[in-house]
Amino acid sequence: PSMTQQFTRLDSVEKMILGGFFDSVGLYIKPTELQTRLAQEWLHFLEMYDLRNKPFDFLTLGQQRMVLIARAMVKHPPLLILDEPTTGLDDHNMALFTALVNKIAAESKTAILYVSHRTELGLKPKAIFELTPSENGSTGSVIIN
């Protein structure tokens, strides 16, 4: 959730996704045709293509989180770490977000580490590592779904 606070510029949604190729806040390098096409594919996938020229800051919080996932995924990372990603989202946006995470998990080779203090409705993890606090520190156990 705090990642959205790092992007205070008025960059468009498309430029935000394209910035993921260069790990930059802002777009300072001209993207290739392939990079532009991949960003547009993500926009279509997220059903946000019509918002591609809208400033990122003008999106809803849920839309911003979806764009940040696309930004991270454009380079097909081996690992995606999501730390409390649904904090502050309403039920509708939380459902959209967890559906996106489930789809990425099912259709890509990216491993997802999803950290949460609650059970996320609709999320379909393959395994859960649950920490249980005790007087001597936390202990963990793996639950395979």
Side-chain angles (χ1 to χ4, degrees):
S2 64
M3 284 296 295
T4 55
Q5 297 167 1
Q6 305 300 315
F7 300 101
T8 56
R9 302 161 40 101
L10 291 178
D11 290 319
S12 71
V13 170
E14 184 174 36
K15 286 183 179 178
M16 284 295 295
I17 294 173
L18 286 165
F21 287 108
F22 309 105
D23 300 322
S24 64
V25 178
L27 193 59
Y28 305 101
I29 299 170
K30 183 175 172 141
T32 66
E33 284 184 36
L34 175 61
Q35 290 168 331
T36 301
R37 190 174 31 145
L38 287 171
Q40 290 176 353
E41 285 177 11
W42 271 99
L43 286 164
H44 281 293
F45 177 72
L46 297 175
E47 298 180 2
M48 295 177 68
Y49 186 79
D50 292 342
L51 301 176
R52 69 189 177 282
N53 294 317
K54 188 172 185 175
F56 176 77
D57 278 353
F58 292 7
L59 298 178
T60 67
L61 192 57
Q63 290 170 325
Q64 287 179 349
R65 302 262 172 91
M66 303 280 266
V67 168
L68 290 177
I69 292 292
R71 176 186 165 86
M73 290 300 298
V74 291
K75 293 195 299 187
H76 305 285
L79 177 64
L80 179 63
I81 301 172
L82 302 172
D83 186 9
E84 301 285 349
T86 59
T87 298
L89 296 184
D90 60 24
D91 291 343
H92 173 72
N93 282 304
M94 186 167 49
L96 290 174
F97 188 86
T98 54
L100 174 60
V101 171
N102 288 335
K103 191 160 183 71
I104 290 170
E107 297 181 14
S108 77
K109 294 182 180 179
T110 299
I112 300 172
L113 177 60
Y114 193 108
V115 179
S116 183
H117 287 89
R118 62 182 184 193
T119 300
E120 303 283 1
L121 293 175
L123 194 63
K124 300 174 184 169
K126 292 181 182 172
I128 297 172
F129 186 79
E130 186 173 37
L131 290 175
T132 306
S134 70
E135 290 180 13
N136 299 322
S138 296
T139 58
S141 59
V142 177
I143 303 165
I144 305 293
N145 287 339

